[in-house]
Amino acid sequence: MISTEHTDRLAAITVFGEFTLADYKEFEELVNYKIQFNGALDLLFDLREMAGFTLDVAWEEIKFSRQHAHDFRRIAVLTEDQWLTWSAWVSQLFVDAEVRVFSDESEARSWLAAGEASEAVP
């Protein structure tokens, strides 16, 4: 199951339990909509409560990342799991976005907000 929140420039996704293909499709719909109407987007992935993911989610993530390689500015991943940290690093190979891993949500949100503020300065 996932929970989402979003603003014009940010999509925040929290995963609870197993991350399924249906959950990923919900995430894709939100992101595609935001990109279509607002342009490049920041992402916050909170994976601290994720119990695992299905193989089809991993495959879908690779396809989605390649399709949207230039559509993200910054991606913050919240996790304390070393495997997910490594996975976030590998994801950088598929997107132009700056990707960082955090264990503290306020630090992640501050980093994303700082990126948005620096874009606003002429």
Side-chain angles (χ1 to χ4, degrees):
M1 178 172 96
I2 66 170
S3 170
T4 62
E5 70 174 83
H6 54 91
T7 63
D8 286 347
R9 297 296 205 147
L10 172 70
I13 294 84
T14 303
V15 179
F16 301 96
E18 186 174 60
F19 197 16
T20 66
L21 186 57
D23 296 330
Y24 199 87
K25 293 292 187 180
E26 181 180 338
F27 156 74
E28 282 182 316
E29 279 184 38
L30 171 64
V31 169
N32 285 331
Y33 178 85
K34 301 302 287 178
I35 290 169
Q36 179 181 358
F37 292 102
N38 299 106
L41 188 63
D42 291 333
L43 294 178
L44 173 62
F45 269 108
D46 186 344
L47 305 178
R48 295 174 294 179
E49 300 295 323
M50 184 175 79
F53 56 91
T54 59
L55 186 56
D56 50 358
V57 167
W59 178 244
E60 191 67 23
E61 196 277 328
I62 291 169
K63 293 188 313 184
F64 183 79
S65 293
R66 293 182 75 191
Q67 182 180 26
H68 293 283
H70 310 292
D71 293 332
F72 304 107
R73 296 180 311 210
R74 287 183 165 198
I75 302 171
V77 179
L78 280 166
T79 185
E80 294 179 6
D81 183 297
Q82 291 295 59
W83 170 251
L84 293 174
T85 300
W86 180 83
S87 178
W89 178 81
V90 169
S91 294
Q92 266 186 299
L93 301 173
F94 299 108
V95 295
D96 292 338
E98 188 176 355
V99 179
R100 287 205 186 160
V101 176
F102 297 87
S103 57
D104 181 77
E105 184 173 352
S106 61
E107 288 178 17
R109 288 183 181 273
S110 293
W111 177 71
L112 291 170
E116 190 171 324
S118 68
E119 282 193 6
V121 176

